[in-house]
Amino acid sequence: MEILRYAAFTDNPGGGNPAGVVLDATGLDDVRMQRIAAEVGYSETAFLTPAGERGAAVRYFSPLAEVPFCGHATIAAAVAFAERFGPGPLRLAASVGEIAVDTEGNSATLRSVAPSSAPIPGDVRERLLAALRYEPGELDPALPLRAAFAGAWHPVVAVATRERLADLDYDEPALRDLMAEHDWTTVDLVWRESEFVFHARNPFPPGGVYEDPATGAAAAAFGGYLRELGLVPVPATVTVHQGHDLGRPSLLRVGLDADPASGVSVTGRAVPIP
């Protein structure tokens, strides 16, 4: 068994979001995978078990727990796979459904499962804002607070200024408990720079990570949210900048077609970490 380390959504090993990758996890049980993910220490490690030609079952583990879907580890695993077996399509069977990935060079594009979104009840909204230490007047009223899904659930919380996004200081125990209650994987904090350009930050206390530098699963869910609510004209490509406040700049491209039932594509580069 070989444990690889890649930085996803970047072409610089010092940027993006680090991910562990095991291209052949045959024979590993849950306990061993969880232990490896904790030892690697990145926000997620992807474990692939080969299944047919250019196909594999995939599972994702944070240092603390298994997660249903992870975008940056998918991009990292696809690029690692392509470097060893050649570029082209890769079919990944995750617990949430099939994730189709195409690779070219050190770039990969995943297509999520069908996205959806749901309102957040008022009492839960109040607890979320309190845990984030946000005031209602600091939010962007054009982007409603809502839970979004494209393989994992993420509440979308849009702030009105880049300065407020940069000032991240949340109540970690309170947010972790609230996220556990509602099965949220990360919280997607966003600021809209222009019609198709956004900046994001993603607290991830359930995984034992204060903040994720790049979150492909949240970007896919956010893309579905934008399309469902008519917040961008489609078809469209949306750019998400993330990780700059952590010193790990990341670039995610989110592709939206006009079919509301189709998956959301997320594109990014990945490079080995020496």
Side-chain angles (χ1 to χ4, degrees):
M1 182 194 65
E2 183 180 16
I3 303 171
L4 307 173
R5 292 166 172 81
Y6 276 70
F9 296 114
T10 182
D11 55 9
N12 178 354
N17 197 358
V21 176
V22 176
L23 290 177
D24 189 350
T26 303
L28 296 182
D29 61 16
D30 295 13
V31 172
R32 182 63 176 138
M33 285 188 278
Q34 184 63 76
R35 185 178 301 130
I36 290 169
E39 291 169 354
V40 170
Y42 295 154
S43 57
E44 274 98 4
T45 295
F47 295 86
L48 277 62
T49 302
E53 186 177 357
R54 301 192 70 87
V58 62
R59 296 177 70 180
Y60 308 96
F61 284 81
S62 78
L64 294 183
E66 186 173 8
V67 298
F69 172 54
C70 173
H72 86 277
T74 298
I75 297 294
V79 170
F81 184 95
E83 288 180 349
R84 283 151 184 78
F85 306 110
L90 176 62
R91 302 178 315 281
L92 296 177
S95 63
V96 296
E98 181 171 294
I99 309 298
V101 193
D102 284 311
T103 56
E104 183 177 355
N106 71 338
S107 177
T109 298
L110 67 85
R111 181 167 288 274
S112 76
V113 298
S116 61
S117 73
I120 296 176
D123 60 328
V124 179
R125 173 192 173 103
E126 290 177 4
R127 290 176 61 197
L128 175 58
L129 294 181
L132 293 169
R133 300 191 172 104
Y134 281 177
E135 297 294 333
E138 295 175 313
L139 303 185
D140 182 349
L143 298 171
L145 199 158
R146 197 168 174 89
F149 173 86
W153 284 99
H154 312 260
V156 176
V157 185
V159 294
T161 67
R162 181 66 179 86
E163 291 74 20
R164 190 64 185 94
L165 185 68
D167 184 19
L168 181 61
D169 177 26
Y170 65 87
D171 182 333
E172 193 167 356
L175 189 60
R176 182 178 58 246
D177 291 348
L178 181 62
M179 293 174 71
E181 288 177 28
H182 297 279
D183 197 27
W184 295 336
T185 299
T186 72
V187 177
D188 197 23
L189 310 177
V190 299
W191 171 70
R192 189 171 205 161
E193 177 183 326
S194 62
E195 185 175 23
F196 299 107
V197 179
F198 295 83
H199 296 247
R201 302 187 73 172
N202 274 251
F204 185 31
V209 177
Y210 190 80
E211 180 182 356
D212 231 1
T215 319
F222 181 59
Y225 155 99
L226 291 174
R227 182 176 62 191
E228 180 181 340
L229 299 183
L231 297 170
V232 294
V234 291
T237 298
V238 170
T239 298
V240 178
H241 298 281
Q242 195 177 339
H244 292 262
D245 297 288
L246 293 173
R248 299 196 68 95
S250 308
L251 183 65
L252 303 85
R253 303 285 190 190
V254 179
L256 302 171
D257 60 30
D259 180 358
S262 67
V264 175
S265 69
V266 180
T267 300
R269 298 182 181 276
V271 292
I273 298 174

